[in-house]
Amino acid sequence: MVVENLIDKLETIVSEEKSGWPEKAKYRADNRDWLKKSQAIAIKVNGLIRDKGISQKELAQLLKVSPQQVSKILKGQENLTLETISKLENALETTLIAIAKNTHSVG
C-alpha cells in the first residue's frame, strides 16, 4: 500500500521530457579548456562588480550588450571574444588577460 502510493506520487512528478544530461556532459567535456577560463573570468568579474557596486544591468549598459548577455558572462558559460574581454577590462578598469611580452626580436 505504501509502495503503491509512493509509485503514484513519483509518476505524477516525473517529467516526460528528457533532461539531455548526456549531451550536456559531453559538451562540458569537449569544451573543458575554454569553459575553465571563462569561469575564472566570471569569478573575477563578479568580484569586481560587487566591489565597485555595479549592477548587472549597469554593466550591460557599459558594455552595450543585453542584461541576458551579462548574465551568461557572469555564469562563466560564454565563449568570450577578445572584443568582449577588452570591453570588460575597459568598463571595470582592470586586466583580465595579460599577454607575456615577447623577448625575442623578429628579423
Side-chain angles (χ1 to χ4, degrees):
M1 182 76 165
V2 173
V3 174
E4 289 175 5
N5 288 341
L6 181 59
I7 291 171
D8 289 341
K9 286 180 183 179
L10 287 173
E11 286 178 352
T12 61
I13 62 172
V14 172
S15 173
E16 296 293 324
E17 237 177 85
K18 293 188 178 197
S19 69
W21 72 264
E23 294 83 7
K24 291 176 187 174
K26 182 175 179 353
Y27 175 82
R28 284 192 304 274
D30 290 346
N31 296 286
R32 180 174 290 128
D33 293 336
W34 72 259
L35 282 168
K36 281 184 179 181
K37 290 176 175 74
S38 182
Q39 290 164 355
I41 290 171
I43 290 168
K44 184 163 184 177
V45 170
N46 273 293
L48 287 166
I49 65 171
R50 184 188 62 243
D51 293 347
K52 293 178 180 279
I54 299 171
S55 70
Q56 289 186 27
K57 184 176 180 181
E58 291 169 325
L59 182 58
Q61 291 169 343
L62 290 170
L63 299 175
K64 296 184 171 99
V65 299
S66 70
Q68 293 82 2
Q69 180 68 17
V70 168
S71 178
K72 288 180 185 178
I73 292 169
L74 296 179
K75 289 179 183 176
Q77 300 172 341
E78 193 66 12
N79 191 354
L80 301 169
T81 64
L82 292 173
E83 178 182 10
T84 301
I85 292 168
S86 293
K87 286 180 180 180
L88 283 165
E89 290 177 329
N90 290 332
L92 298 172
E93 300 173 330
T94 192
T95 299
L96 297 172
I97 294 180
I99 306 298
K101 291 185 179 182
N102 188 354
T103 59
H104 303 288
S105 60
V106 179

